[in-house]
Amino acid sequence: MSKREHLQSAFAALHPEHLDVQDESHMHSRGLETHYKAVIVSPQFEGLNAVKRHQKVYGALGDVMSQIHALALHTYTPQEWAAQGIAPESPTCRGGSKHDH
């Protein structure tokens, strides 16, 4: 099972109405399957601020998080997603890896 599939499986605990997990490792210099972006729409985020939502996601991930370098989280309630419908684009990598020198 790929790391992306592990992430998707872990996110299932949040009962997402929409889930999009993208491997963005190609935008970075740390190798394959290291950088991910997750868009998660779940009623479980109702009434929670961004920090509490991220804590809930990390709780669902458990040990899976230790297998990757970076995870960009975009968490929405169903109402927020209906109003917005799209997550922001990821920024271009600024480097920071020993491979960049």
Side-chain angles (χ1 to χ4, degrees):
M1 183 181 292
S2 72
K3 289 179 187 174
R4 181 176 176 267
E5 291 169 329
H6 279 283
L7 290 168
Q8 289 174 316
S9 179
F11 292 144
L14 300 170
H15 305 287
E17 292 184 7
H18 174 81
L19 176 63
D20 182 23
V21 179
Q22 299 174 19
D23 183 350
E24 296 186 331
S25 300
H26 64 280
M27 298 168 55
H28 304 275
S29 60
R30 290 188 180 264
L32 303 175
E33 296 189 273
T34 58
H35 291 71
Y36 292 88
K37 173 182 177 177
V39 179
I40 308 166
V41 180
S42 173
Q44 292 188 18
F45 297 141
E46 294 285 345
L48 300 179
N49 65 27
V51 171
K52 295 290 185 189
R53 291 177 186 197
H54 288 201
Q55 288 173 339
K56 191 171 222 16
V57 171
Y58 291 133
L61 286 174
D63 291 340
V64 176
M65 190 61 203
S66 67
Q67 300 174 24
I68 60 175
H69 176 73
L71 176 63
L73 292 175
H74 301 279
T75 56
Y76 302 94
T77 65
Q79 294 79 15
E80 291 167 344
W81 186 247
Q84 185 166 336
I86 190 165
E89 292 293 321
S90 296
T92 303
C93 182
R94 294 177 165 230
S97 170
K98 64 182 177 184
H99 304 290
D100 296 334
H101 301 287

